[in-house]
Structure formats: structure tokens, C-alpha cells
């Protein structure tokens, strides 16, 4: 007996229904903005809107080159670095691999936007999630570019460079070790753990191009979402609140930690911004520098896109608490107090 099953494949010559996707919506919005640009310019000519737009553009312009760097490195890893090489380089013991991955973060001179796609690609190549996450946190915070910019921003306080390095490296390693203990694989989206299988006989450069293109399109959308949220919060938070914290160290540490999350500054530029807040003691400003590259709004958005919202909702609070504690301890040990 032959069983006949129905198929949903469209017949030849039958037009397929056009699906409305995000690209079509974006094109429609751009065309509408061009058509009604005069009306939009008059309606949005408000100081708060101009400030928010400036912050949004600044965040995206600062982050995009490093995001592109990250997806290029991600594509190179996917195309040219076999999983067996990574497994040989890193120690088999996961806790030891976390320490090595944290120190390896010094080799990638980029911001947090670059480290997210690279960390995901490391997981897809078989690297333990805890080690990949330690690299994700260390790369934007302990690389030479960030340390040099910190030294230039604080010319009279060389201890700030050492304190930032120790606090940020400790944050990356401690979070990695905690993830070994309490982290669960099911918290990470399956797409972030799916091993890469290169097609037999396929071009490695084709794999590189497709991987980089996919990562850039996916991560770029979440960067825009995070930048938009940060721009809105930049307008909402009054600058007078920061200047009122001059003589309150404990409250200053907490507020500056939250501001680091809200402002979402690039790790190469945050030292110059916080150095201008000379009324604040060094300890709250150090906490700002340690927390910012580890967890901020745009980074949480990127992590949600790369590893899933379930992961981001657990990883961000854990990282925030560890970064605040490590920043305070590094400040007390290196800076010699709460000055």
C-alpha cells in the first residue's frame, strides 16, 4: 500500500508570498525619513533630542570599528583555526584555562563590542564557556591600548593604571571561576555552542566572509539597540547628580558603578571622561573604569544577541557585583585608601 502525503512546496510558476522582514522595515523607515525630513527636523529640534542623538551617534561611531575588528577576528578563527589547535593551547583543566584566557585578553586591542563575537566563536570551536567568558571580560579592559589611554588620562596618578589592570583582570578571572561552579550550559543559547563544520573542499575564505557577514549583521542590530537605550538614559540622568557625590565615597562608588552601565562608554575613551570628574575621589572613578568594560547596556544587548537573553539576565548581574568588589579591593590595595 502506497501512502501519499501532501507537500507544502509551492508549484512551479506559483508566486511565493513576500515576507516582511527587518530589512524591508528599515528601508521603509529610511524612505519615510527622507520624504518628511523637513517636518521631522522641525519636530525634533529640541535640546534633549539633540543631546540624545549626539550620544547615540558617538556610541555607534566609537564602537563600530571595534565591532568590525571583532567579527573579522571571529571569521578568521572560524575559517583558519581548527578546534584541535585551541584545545592544545588551553589547559585541559577548566579553572587553569580561565586564567590563561584572562591573560590572553591583553592580546586583543579592542572594546567590549569586539570581544563578544570572538568569545562566541571560541565556544563554537570547543573552548570551555567559562574560559571564553573570561576572555570576553578581559580583552576590552586589560589590553595595551586601554592601559595607555588610562595613563594619559591620569598623568599624575600612575597607580590608576595598575589598579585598573588588577581590578579588571581579577573581575574576568573570578567571573570565569564562578561560572565553572554555578554556570549551566542550558543558560547559553544553542546557536552559541553549535560546533562549526566546514564544508569538505569548501573555500576557507568563503567561510570567513560568510561568518564575518553573519556576525556583523546580527551584532550590529543589538549595538544600535544598546546605543539607543544608553542615549535615552544619558539625557534622563541629570549631570548635577554626579557633582553632588564629591564627599560621599560609598555612595559615589555605587552611583559611578551604575553610571558605567548606563553611559556605555567605549573602554578606550572612558578614562578621559571619568578623569574630568576631578571633584570625585579616585576610588569611585576606578570602580567606573572596572565596571564599564565588563557590563554596560550595549554590552548586555550584544550578549543577549550572541548567547541568548537567559544568559544575559544571569551573567550581567553576576559580573556587575564581581566588578564592583574587585574594583574596590584593587583601589584599597593600590591607591592606598579611598582618596
Amino acid at each position: 500500500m502506497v501512502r501519499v502525503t501532501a507537500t507544502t512546496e509551492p508549484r512551479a510558476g506559483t508566486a511565493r508570498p513576500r515576507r516582511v522582514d527587518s530589512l524591508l522595515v528599515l528601508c521603509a523607515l529610511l524612505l519615510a525619513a527622507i520624504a518628511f525630513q523637513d517636518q521631522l527636523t522641525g519636530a525634533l529640534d529640541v535640546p534633549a533630542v539633540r543631546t540624545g542623538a549626539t550620544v547615540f551617534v558617538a556610541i555607534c561611531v566609537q564602537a563600530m570599528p571595534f565591532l568590525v575588528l571583532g567579527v573579522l577576528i571571529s571569521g578568521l578563527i572560524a575559517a583558519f583555526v581548527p578546534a584541535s589547535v585551541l584545545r592544545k593551547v588551553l589547559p585541559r583543566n577548566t579553572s587553569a584555562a580561565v586564567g590563561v584566557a584572562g591573560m590572553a585578553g591583553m592580546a586583543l586591542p579592542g572594546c567590549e563590542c569586539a570581544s563578544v563575537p570572538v568569545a562566541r566563536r571560541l565556544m563554537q570551536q570547543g573552548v570551555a564557556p567559562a574560559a571564553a567568558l573570561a576572555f570576553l571580560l578581559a580583552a576590552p579592559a586589560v589590553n595595551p591600548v586601554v592601559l595607555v589611554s588610562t595613563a594619559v588620562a591620569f598623568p599624575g596618578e600612575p597607580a590608576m593604571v595598575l589598579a585598573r589592570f588588577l581590578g579588571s583582570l581579577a573581575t574576568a578571572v573570578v567571573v570565569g571561576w564562578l561560572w565553572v561552579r554555578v554556570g549551566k550550559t542550558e543558560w547559553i543559547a544553542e546557536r552559541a555552542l553549535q560546533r562549526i563544520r566546514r564544508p569538505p573542499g569548501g573555500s576557507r575564505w568563503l567561510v570567513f566572509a560568510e561568518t564575518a557577514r553573519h556576525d556583523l549583521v546580527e551584532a550590529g542590530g543589538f549595538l544600535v539597540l544598546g546605543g539607543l537605550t544608553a542615549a535615552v538614559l544619558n539625557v534622563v540622568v541629570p549631570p548635577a547628580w554626579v557633582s553632588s557625590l564629591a564627599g560621599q565615597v560609598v555612595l559615589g562608588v555605587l552611583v559611578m558603578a551604575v553610571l558605567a552601565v548606563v553611559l556605555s562608554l567605549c573602554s578606550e575613551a572612558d578614562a578621559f571622561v571619568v578623569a574630568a570628574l576631578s571633584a570625585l575621589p579616585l576610588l569611585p572613578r576606578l570602580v567606573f573604569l572596572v565596571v564599564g568594560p565588563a557590563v554596560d547596556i550595549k554590552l548586555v544587548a550584544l550578549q543577549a544577541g550572541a548567547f541568548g537573553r537567559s544568559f544575559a539576565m544571569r551573567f550581567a548581574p553576576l559580573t556587575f557585583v564581581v566588578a564592583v568588589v574587585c574594583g574596590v579591593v584593587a583601589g584599597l590595595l593600590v591607591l592606598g585608601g579611598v582618596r
Side-chain angles (χ1 to χ4, degrees), residues 251-276:
L251 183 60
V253 165
L254 296 177
V255 171
M256 291 301 289
V258 174
L259 278 180
V261 178
V262 170
L263 296 181
S264 301
L265 299 176
C266 184
S267 58
E268 276 79 12
D270 57 0
F272 297 98
V273 175
V274 78

Side-chain angles (χ1 to χ4, degrees), residues 225-322:
L225 177 62
L228 182 61
T229 306
V232 172
L233 292 175
N234 267 270
V235 175
V236 172
V237 177
W241 288 8
V242 178
S243 59
S244 64
L245 301 173
Q248 306 180 47
V249 176
V250 176
L251 183 60
V253 165
L254 296 177
V255 171
M256 291 301 289
V258 174
L259 278 180
V261 178
V262 170
L263 296 181
S264 301
L265 299 176
C266 184
S267 58
E268 276 79 12
D270 57 0
F272 297 98
V273 175
V274 78
L277 303 176
S278 55
L280 288 177
L282 288 179
L283 185 59
R285 289 189 278 173
L286 173 64
V287 171
F288 182 98
L289 296 178
V290 173
V291 172
V295 51
D296 61 34
I297 291 176
K298 73 175 186 298
L299 182 56
V300 172
L302 289 170
Q303 290 173 354
F307 306 111
R309 277 184 282 182
S310 178
F311 166 85
M313 294 300 292
R314 292 173 171 86
F315 186 73
L318 171 66
T319 305
F320 178 80
V321 173
V322 173

Side-chain angles (χ1 to χ4, degrees), residues 124-203:
Q124 293 176 334
Q125 292 286 68
V127 174
L133 295 177
F135 176 84
L136 183 152
L137 295 176
V142 300
N143 67 73
V145 176
V146 170
L147 298 179
V148 170
S149 68
T150 305
V152 173
F154 292 89
E157 297 289 346
M160 281 289 286
V161 180
L162 178 60
R164 181 176 192 178
F165 173 80
L166 294 178
S168 298
L169 182 60
T171 299
V173 174
V174 170
V175 170
W177 285 339
L178 288 176
W179 197 262
V180 173
R181 297 285 184 178
V182 303
K184 296 181 180 179
T185 304
E186 55 266 28
W187 292 346
I188 303 176
E190 184 178 353
R191 62 180 180 273
L193 298 174
Q194 188 174 4
R195 297 293 180 88
I196 300 173
R197 293 181 174 85
R198 301 187 185 90
S203 169

Side-chain angles (χ1 to χ4, degrees), residues 209-225:
E210 286 299 314
T211 301
R213 181 194 60 80
H214 175 271
D215 286 353
L216 180 61
V217 171
E218 183 176 274
F222 284 94
L223 172 62
V224 171
L225 177 62

Side-chain angles (χ1 to χ4, degrees), residues 39-159:
Q39 292 84 344
L40 290 174
T41 301
L44 299 179
D45 190 15
V46 180
V49 175
R50 290 199 300 267
T51 302
T54 301
V55 173
F56 169 73
V57 172
I59 289 175
C60 292
V61 169
Q62 277 186 331
M64 188 56 69
F66 297 103
L67 180 62
V68 173
L69 173 64
V71 300
L72 291 178
I73 295 175
S74 170
L76 290 172
I77 292 174
F80 298 101
V81 181
S84 58
V85 172
L86 294 174
R87 286 193 288 267
K88 290 179 181 178
V89 170
L90 291 174
R92 293 188 177 182
N93 182 276
T94 305
S95 297
V98 166
V100 173
M103 294 300 298
M106 298 180 64
L108 179 61
C111 72
E112 53 270 25
C113 301
S115 64
V116 172
V118 175
R120 182 174 71 170
R121 196 62 60 196
L122 291 175
M123 290 186 190
Q124 293 176 334
Q125 292 286 68
V127 174
L133 295 177
F135 176 84
L136 183 152
L137 295 176
V142 300
N143 67 73
V145 176
V146 170
L147 298 179
V148 170
S149 68
T150 305
V152 173
F154 292 89
E157 297 289 346

